[in-house]
Amino acid sequence: MTDPSHAPIPIPERSSSKRAAEESIEILQRQSSQLEGTIRESRKKLKARCSYDAQYWFDRTSIADKLLEKNRLQKMISIQSFERSNTSSKAWHESEEAEAFADTDSALTVDKKLYAAQAKKLQFDVEPVTQGTKRLFMRWFTKSSAGLGATAGKRSTQNQTRFKANLIEASNASHPDPRVEEYWCPILGCFHGKHAMKAAHIVPYSLGQDLMTDIFGAEENEKNELFSAKNGILMHSGAEERFDKGFFVIVPSANDESVEEIKAWHESTAKSYKIRVIDRDAKPMKTFLPSPMQKKLWVDLDGQELQFLSSHRPRARYLYYHYCVTMLRLSYHKNEHEKILRDHLGKKFWGTPGPYLSKSYLLALVQEIGSEDLLDGAENPQEPVEVDFTVLAAANDAVKTSLKNRRGLSSKELEEDDCEDSDDEYFEDEYSNDE
């Protein structure tokens, strides 16, 4: 007789619904894997051609289509995995994961539009493209390590350390007592331990110095504006994370209905800025601030002026660029975008017109976002100009980079081209002497 203590543990039979769900997920995973193989082969053929004519960009458009389909398959896998664990689909649609999939879909759709536009331009444009423009476009689309955007190479620890040190000095951020290792956060208006403080780039490092110069122009006596103190703010790590993800923006603290006040703001050296919370319903904005401000929420910072301890200020045009990136990210959430605009009806987020970016750049953002208020920041508002997609592509790249961080994706999963050194060498040989 079998000892009951050694009897095999009965394995419960899977219900037909659970078995069907697992089989469905397996099918979707196979489809996603097959599609990934197709994408990989298409990329290889693309790089083997070494030709950047109209057909090249039509092929890139086709790859973008496949990437969109892959994202949608992964979205379906995620939903069914939620449901299999007895989590309702409604809960999934309210999750950060759902938001990330939606943002990825929107970002890849923008990529597709940009590729198609370039293909059409090369196919039908009878006027020759200048070598400078050609070089910029090729650098933009072929030298990226994270999707679009000219790669700045591996970030130098030395550069970042120097960047933070320069910010601390320019902002007079050190604690008055040299024995206290704390720095001042202008966002929170108090000192915090040095390990909690971050040197936040406004224009992201991933843009690269070359494209930064093309977009904003070269600043006098600044060879590396990307790591200049004018392109950064020393802030608490919690503030940096929310600023980077676009939960709040930093805008001029001036009455947008007063011409005199706007003029005075532009003429001032030590400009005043305030915080504008973009989405008051975002979960990260409903958490408590770090000590010693634990009785307030992050959302309570809306309208609060930044408190600086020196006359140093970041460049307004860089903060305006961050604002544009945030507006693009917001436009990817159609319902939230409309709700937030309704909540601020009659109010402009930025509120202070000024020459921040070229009108040709801003027109592309207006076409994508649908808000003509962005043109208030045009350098040449009255001049008729052609649409230039460079800033739209740069802003879209910033959104994609933050998406990778949120979803834990590798760079290859959001980029359209896995460029190798051989592509860079081809590019340099082909265009390095063009001016």
Side-chain angles (χ1 to χ4, degrees):
M1 183 174 178
T2 305
D3 184 350
S5 63
H6 292 87
I9 300 173
I11 300 174
E13 292 186 11
R14 292 183 297 176
S15 67
S16 58
S17 59
K18 284 187 177 181
R19 188 162 52 248
E22 290 175 1
E23 290 174 353
S24 177
I25 292 173
E26 289 175 1
I27 291 171
L28 291 171
Q29 288 173 335
R30 284 198 299 271
Q31 291 176 344
S32 179
S33 179
Q34 290 170 357
L35 190 56
E36 174 58 37
T38 303
I39 293 169
R40 193 180 301 112
E41 289 302 314
S42 297
R43 285 172 174 163
K44 288 179 180 178
K45 292 177 181 178
L46 206 58
K47 287 194 289 187
R49 288 178 54 204
C50 286
S51 174
Y52 300 107
D53 54 10
Q55 187 57 49
Y56 173 89
W57 297 106
F58 280 126
D59 291 343
R60 290 287 294 261
T61 305
S62 176
I63 292 175
D65 260 331
K66 294 180 178 69
L67 285 164
L68 279 164
E69 179 59 26
K70 179 187 171 186
N71 183 63
R72 288 160 190 164
L73 285 170
Q74 291 175 333
K75 174 183 173 181
M76 292 170 65
I77 292 170
S78 178
I79 292 173
Q80 292 193 21
S81 296
F82 257 64
E83 293 175 341
R84 189 177 64 176
S85 60
N86 298 320
T87 305
S88 69
S89 58
K90 181 181 178 182
W92 184 91
H93 285 287
E94 294 174 350
S95 69
E96 282 194 17
E97 189 169 355
E99 184 178 299
F101 273 111
D103 284 357
T104 301
D105 189 271
S106 297
L108 291 174
T109 299
V110 170
D111 287 348
K112 180 182 172 181
K113 288 180 183 178
L114 292 169
Y115 295 150
Q118 179 66 0
K120 186 176 180 181
K121 181 179 180 60
L122 290 175
Q123 187 177 29
F124 298 111
D125 199 347
V126 293
E127 293 189 15
V129 179
T130 65
Q131 291 298 332
T133 302
K134 187 176 183 180
R135 183 175 65 253
L136 174 62
F137 199 89
M138 295 318 307
R139 183 181 298 276
W140 181 256
F141 282 105
T142 64
K143 297 193 70 178
S144 171
S145 63
L148 299 178
T151 180
K154 186 177 181 180
R155 187 194 299 244
S156 165
T157 303
Q158 186 179 13
N159 279 344
Q160 186 64 23
T161 300
R162 190 183 300 116
F163 175 59
K164 185 173 183 178
N166 290 341
L167 268 177
I168 292 170
E169 182 180 358
S171 306
N172 191 29
S174 296
H175 196 280
D177 185 344
R179 295 170 298 179
V180 179
E181 295 185 328
E182 293 183 348
Y183 298 126
W184 181 261
C185 174
I187 305 292
L188 301 177
C190 57
F191 286 98
H192 285 277
K194 66 176 185 179
H195 296 298
M197 296 296 292
K198 302 295 182 182
H201 282 82
I202 300 171
V203 175
Y205 168 81
S206 60
L207 187 69
Q209 184 58 53
D210 289 345
L211 276 181
M212 187 175 184
T213 300
D214 280 305
I215 291 172
F216 299 103
E219 298 292 345
E220 189 176 355
N221 300 323
E222 285 286 358
K223 293 183 179 179
N224 191 352
E225 189 79 357
L226 192 63
F227 281 96
S228 164
K230 293 293 182 72
N231 183 38
I233 301 178
L234 193 71
M235 62 177 76
H236 187 276
S237 58
E240 183 207 26
E241 182 180 5
R242 288 161 176 80
F243 180 71
D244 180 62
K245 292 182 177 178
F247 290 122
F248 71 87
V249 293
I250 296 172
V251 304
S253 181
N255 183 356
D256 58 3
E257 296 180 357
S258 171
V259 176
E260 293 78 11
E261 192 169 334
I262 291 174
K263 181 181 178 183
W265 185 87
H266 277 292
E267 293 176 350
S268 64
T269 303
K271 292 177 169 57
S272 57
Y273 289 98
K274 64 184 178 183
I275 297 167
R276 290 298 301 271
V277 174
I278 295 299
D279 189 353
R280 302 182 65 87
D281 296 326
K283 290 180 180 178
M285 299 306 291
K286 290 187 174 182
T287 57
F288 286 103
L289 294 170
S291 177
M293 304 175 67
Q294 291 174 322
K295 293 183 179 180
K296 295 179 66 177
L297 303 176
W298 284 96
V299 71
D300 296 329
L301 295 179
D302 187 42
Q304 177 175 298
E305 287 205 14
L306 272 66
Q307 301 175 51
F308 296 100
L309 298 185
S310 72
S311 61
H312 168 75
R313 298 292 185 274
R315 292 196 194 282
R317 59 177 54 199
Y318 299 158
L319 289 170
Y320 192 75
Y321 175 81
H322 174 266
Y323 163 75
C324 290
V325 172
T326 302
M327 290 297 103
L328 179 66
R329 179 187 283 109
L330 183 61
S331 72
Y332 290 166
H333 308 288
K334 300 303 181 184
N335 295 334
E336 290 85 347
H337 182 232
E338 294 170 2
K339 176 183 180 297
I340 292 170
L341 291 181
R342 284 198 307 272
D343 290 345
H344 293 82
L345 194 62
K347 304 175 186 177
K348 294 183 179 179
F349 286 100
W350 184 264
T352 306
Y356 306 115
L357 287 170
S358 169
K359 181 181 178 181
S360 60
Y361 294 149
L362 293 174
L363 282 172
L365 286 167
V366 168
Q367 288 181 7
E368 185 62 33
I369 297 172
S371 175
E372 293 191 359
D373 286 347
L374 291 177
L375 292 177
D376 289 345
E379 291 178 328
N380 44 359
Q382 304 304 322
E383 294 182 17
V385 295
E386 290 188 7
V387 177
D388 188 315
F389 293 101
T390 303
V391 166
L392 173 59
N396 195 52
D397 180 52
V399 174
K400 289 165 65 180
T401 300
S402 68
L403 283 172
K404 285 193 302 174
N405 296 333
R406 282 162 61 191
R407 288 179 56 190
L409 298 178
S410 67
S411 60
K412 290 183 181 180
E413 289 182 278
L414 273 178
E415 65 185 8
E416 281 66 35
D417 203 11
D418 181 19
C419 300
E420 299 175 352
D421 293 340
S422 58
D423 294 313
D424 292 347
E425 290 169 3
Y426 169 79
F427 173 83
E428 295 295 348
D429 292 342
E430 185 75 6
Y431 301 114
S432 59
N433 297 320
D434 295 334
E435 297 295 343

